[in-house]
Structures are given as C-alpha cells and as structure tokens.
Amino acid sequence: MGTGHFFWVIFYFASLCSASLANNAKINFREKEKKVLDQILGAGKYDARIRPSGLNGTDGPAYVSVNIFVRSISKIDDVTMEYSVQLTFREQWTDERLKFDDIQGRLKYLTLTEANRVWMPDLFFSNEKEGHFHNIIMPNVYIRIFPNGSVLYSIRISLTLACPMNLKLYPLDRQICSLRMASYGWTTNDLVFLWKEGDPVQVVKNLHLPRFTLEKFLTDYCNSKTNTGEYSCLKVDLLFKREFSYYLIQIYIPCCMLVIVSWVSFWLDQGAVPARVSLGVTTLLTMATQTSGINASLPPVSYTKAIDVWTGVCLTFVFGALLEFALVNYASRSDMHKENMKKKRRDLEQASIDAASDLLDTDSNATFAMLRQCEVHMQAPKRPNCCKTWLSKFPTRSKRIDVISRITFPLVFALFNLVYWSTYLFRDEEDE
C-alpha cells in the first residue's frame, strides 16, 4: 500500500511538470511583442514629435550614427554633371522612452515598418536632384527597437545627385562626387550626426561602372552655419577615375589615322589634282565631324579641355595638309612660268651669240675662252651644304615642298604627341 501511494505521488508530479512544459511551449512570443509595442507606443505614452534626450538622459543633443551601403552606381553623366546611386541607408540612435523587458533574452528586438510611429531624425540629402523609395514587393524599410531603447532605421533608396566636374583634363581626369547628408530643422544643439565607428561606408564588391573606376572614398563632416543656426552635416567623397581605354580606341587612334591619311597627298603626283583635293577635303570633313561628335557628348564649358587640344591640333594638321597642296599647286604653276621664261631667254641669247660669232675672228674667241677659264679657276671653292645638295636633286620648288612636307609633318606631329602625353599623363596629383 505504501509503495502504491508513492507511485501515485510520482505520477502526479510528473503530470504537473509535463503540463507546465506544455504551457511554456504554447507561449506565443509574437503576442508578447504586440503587448510590448502597445505598452511603449500606446496612446498617451509616447509622443513621436518630441526628440529623445541627450546622453544619460541629459538635455544635450541627440546623437545619431549613420552608415551606408552602396549597392550600385548606374551612371555618371558628364553633360548634366550628375550621378545615380542606389544605397541602403541606416541610422541608429537611443531613445530611452522605448526601453522594454526582453523576457529573459527572448525578445532581441521589436520590428516596425511604419516610420511615423517613433521619432525620426530630419535628415535630407543636400545635393539631391531626384530620389525615390523602393516599394516592390513591400516597402524596403524597417525599424528595429532594442531592449535598451536603441533604434535602428534602415531603408533602400535610389538617388540622382549633383556632381560638379572639372573637365580640364578630360578624358584623362579624375572626378570627386560627393554624397551630403544634413539636418533640415534641428540645429546642433538638438541633433548631431556622426559616422558609425569602424566601417561607416560599404561598397558592393562587384561594383561595375561603364566608363569609370571607383578608386576610393573618404568620409568627412560638413557642418554648415546659416542665419537660423548651425546644422550637422555628413559627407562621403567618391573618387572616380575615368577609364581611358575607351577613349583611346574611339577618339585618339581614329584621329591619328585621319592625320596620317592626310599625309598621303604628299606622295601623290603634283598633276593628280582631283585625287589630292578630294583626299584633303574628305579627311578635313571627317575630322570636323569627329570633333563635333566629341563636343556633343560634353557640356559647353568655358575652359579648354585636354580633348580639345588633341582634336584642335589634329584638325590643324589635316587643314595644313590641304593648304600644302594649294602651295604646291601655286609653286608648280610658278615653276612652269619660270621655265617658259628661261626657255625664251635662252633662245634670245642663242640668237644673239650666233649673230656676234660672225663678227669675231678665231683668235679673239680663243682669248676670251682662256680668260673665262682663268676666272673660273680663281674663284674660291665653296663648302658643300648637305641640305642644298639634297634639295638640288629635286629641280622644281613644288617637288621640294612635297619632299620637305613628308619629313616635317610627321616630325612635328611626333613632337606634339611627346609633349601632349608627357603633360597629361605624368602630371602631379596636386594639379588634379
């Protein structure tokens, strides 16, 4: 009988324990989360219009730490001087009014999707042109409230931001595009923005830009003072380097080819007037079209760009080749006129010599020949001039102009390339 009684006692306690475990297993912590939210955000308990207190409950400013994650940079527009970026933006601050019991660590944080339920910093992007939130499939935004009253706000946004550019070195340039965030209404006496310690800015690893490379980024502060007070401001500077290979293939090499093609006219016969004129005019028009196409993709700035120097000099060389043919044509006609005049003069001299030979005797002719020979031998010998000796192989001035152009134009163009690339490629970083 005692043994049976002991068995029933054990069975009774086992039933109580199993019932207790069953009750614990049936606890719905989502319901607990709802009750906690109702307790801290209920009517008359929390006012979202009042900013949180300062550190340790003082009346100082509320500190908000900011960090961003750059998801993509879709374009950098040189004409409008703007760039588009998609990022995840996060803010974190402490509001002691939102403290709650975490039920022995069971509630790690509370999640909200309505930003108007709690106080929010009035941050705005000061260099923004356009922007929008993402609502597919649901609004990409959440607010997490932690037991100690810390609030984390995260949202995915797309922005089009102004990026003033200096294009003096285009397309060998680097551009700095900024992202500026500031408080609109709260002064630094009430609200201060801080970059999150550690890693305030993160960039996606496979970031791809069509014509630029993101070299680095720098975070800084940019507080501004106005008539209404001082406002907290954060900024991140993105340093972009323009990819030069695209412009080398699309601009520089074609321009070099056009300049070289214009030199072909120096090797054509002087009499091939239609061929030389059509070649010069075609290369000139093609070069002008190339230049206008380049300028159409750039804003009309008041200063001279590196690409302007290149296209301007190339256009000058092509135009010079066309002018060279005009000079050759003029020299050729002048040579023909001189040759005709010399022929007439020789004919007149020959006629006068024939007439005078009938009046002179043989001895006087012999004496005159000896005197002429003595005068020739008494003249001092002249030093040979290499250039004149080489040019003397070409009897006409027009031919000499073509030969000189064949050497001068390539040498001057090579010298220009040396100066151009040494100036723009090996410049100091400070000049940029």
Side-chain angles (χ1 to χ4, degrees):
M1 186 66 180
T3 304
H5 179 70
F6 179 73
F7 173 77
W8 284 108
V9 170
I10 293 176
F11 179 76
Y12 176 74
F13 278 106
S15 299
L16 290 177
C17 291
S18 61
S20 177
L21 292 174
N23 290 332
N24 289 335
K26 292 179 181 178
I27 294 177
N28 189 344
F29 287 98
R30 301 288 73 80
E31 289 293 333
K32 292 288 185 181
E33 184 175 350
K34 176 182 178 302
K35 291 181 180 179
V36 173
L37 284 173
D38 291 339
Q39 288 175 2
I40 62 177
L41 298 177
K45 295 183 179 180
Y46 184 87
D47 193 341
R49 299 173 298 176
I50 308 301
R51 73 167 179 86
S53 58
L55 295 177
N56 300 321
T58 63
D59 195 32
Y63 290 93
V64 179
S65 62
V66 176
N67 74 302
I68 60 176
F69 175 67
V70 179
R71 293 182 172 273
S72 65
I73 300 176
S74 58
K75 69 171 183 177
I76 301 177
D77 197 331
D78 297 317
V79 178
T80 57
M81 292 192 179
E82 62 185 21
Y83 72 105
S84 298
V85 60
Q86 182 188 126
L87 50 87
T88 298
F89 175 76
R90 305 185 188 98
E91 294 176 307
Q92 192 164 8
W93 66 93
T94 300
D95 193 340
E96 295 185 356
R97 297 172 295 174
L98 299 176
K99 289 182 178 180
F100 63 90
D101 183 13
D102 61 355
I103 314 177
Q104 298 178 352
R106 297 297 183 92
L107 293 179
K108 294 183 179 181
Y109 55 81
L110 306 174
T111 302
L112 295 177
T113 56
E114 299 175 358
N116 58 354
R117 297 289 302 276
V118 297
W119 176 87
M120 292 289 299
D122 61 343
L123 180 141
F124 77 105
F125 298 93
S126 57
N127 61 331
E128 172 205 355
K129 287 187 173 181
E130 294 180 359
H132 66 272
F133 302 131
H134 292 265
N135 297 317
I136 300 176
I137 297 176
M138 291 293 292
N140 298 167
V141 58
Y142 68 79
I143 297 175
R144 290 176 181 174
I145 304 175
F146 295 89
N148 63 348
S150 178
V151 182
L152 173 63
Y153 173 71
S154 177
I155 188 171
R156 187 165 71 99
I157 53 179
S158 292
L159 300 169
T160 299
L161 304 164
C163 179
M165 298 181 182
N166 186 347
L167 300 174
K168 288 183 179 180
L169 301 178
Y170 177 92
L172 301 164
D173 57 332
R174 287 178 171 86
Q175 300 297 336
I176 297 178
C177 294
S178 298
L179 175 63
R180 293 175 175 265
M181 300 161 284
S183 173
Y184 189 80
W186 298 96
T187 64
T188 52
N189 296 326
D190 298 307
L191 179 62
V192 173
F193 290 112
L194 299 173
W195 283 114
K196 183 180 179 181
E197 295 182 359
D199 195 7
V201 178
Q202 298 172 314
V203 180
V204 66
K205 292 183 179 180
N206 58 346
L207 180 65
H208 175 71
L209 295 172
R211 297 184 186 179
F212 288 87
T213 300
L214 179 61
E215 286 193 329
K216 60 182 178 180
F217 52 87
L218 302 172
T219 57
D220 201 357
Y221 296 89
C222 54
N223 291 7
S224 60
K225 291 183 178 181
T226 65
N227 293 334
T228 56
E230 182 179 358
Y231 297 89
S232 183
C233 175
L234 302 177
K235 74 170 182 176
V236 54
D237 291 331
L238 304 172
L239 178 60
F240 296 103
K241 180 182 179 183
R242 198 181 298 272
E243 287 290 344
F244 179 67
S245 57
Y246 169 82
Y247 301 93
L248 179 65
I249 297 173
Q250 297 293 326
I251 296 177
Y252 285 92
I253 292 179
C255 288
C256 280
M257 294 174 65
L258 286 173
V259 172
I260 294 173
V261 167
S262 68
W263 298 342
V264 174
S265 64
F266 303 154
W267 300 85
L268 296 179
D269 186 73
Q270 302 169 10
V273 176
R276 297 188 68 162
V277 170
S278 60
L279 180 63
V281 172
T282 302
T283 53
L284 182 62
L285 292 177
T286 306
M287 190 66 215
T289 304
Q290 179 87 344
T291 303
S292 62
I294 295 170
N295 292 329
S297 61
L298 293 172
V301 294
S302 59
Y303 48 81
T304 302
K305 304 179 289 293
I307 195 67
D308 294 335
V309 176
W310 175 264
T311 55
V313 172
C314 290
L315 190 62
T316 302
F317 270 92
V318 174
F319 182 67
L322 185 60
L323 291 182
E324 188 270 349
F325 171 67
L327 181 61
V328 166
N329 186 266
Y330 173 78
S332 177
R333 288 185 285 106
S334 179
D335 290 337
M336 292 179 61
H337 179 71
K338 286 184 177 181
E339 187 66 26
N340 293 332
M341 295 298 295
K342 285 182 180 180
K343 185 177 180 181
K344 291 181 179 179
R345 190 180 297 111
R346 284 196 301 267
D347 293 341
L348 292 175
E349 290 178 354
Q350 186 64 35
S352 61
I353 290 173
D354 292 341
S357 61
D358 296 336
L359 301 176
L360 297 175
D361 54 3
T362 305
D363 294 338
S364 61
N365 288 337
T367 303
F368 176 78
M370 292 177 63
L371 292 173
R372 183 67 178 172
Q373 187 175 5
C374 291
E375 290 179 358
V376 170
H377 285 288
M378 289 177 66
Q379 291 179 355
K382 296 182 179 180
R383 294 182 179 181
N385 191 319
C386 297
C387 294
K388 289 184 178 181
T389 303
W390 178 69
L391 289 175
S392 62
K393 297 179 181 179
F394 308 100
T396 60
R397 287 190 304 170
S398 57
K399 189 65 176 178
R400 291 174 186 174
I401 294 173
D402 268 344
V403 172
I404 293 174
S405 299
R406 295 173 189 173
I407 300 173
T408 304
F409 273 71
L411 285 179
V412 176
F413 190 67
L415 179 62
F416 162 71
N417 274 268
L418 179 63
V419 174
Y420 182 87
W421 296 114
S422 61
T423 300
Y424 289 105
L425 287 180
F426 302 105
R427 61 193 179 276
D428 295 332
E429 294 293 333
E430 295 180 358
D431 295 340
E432 298 181 18

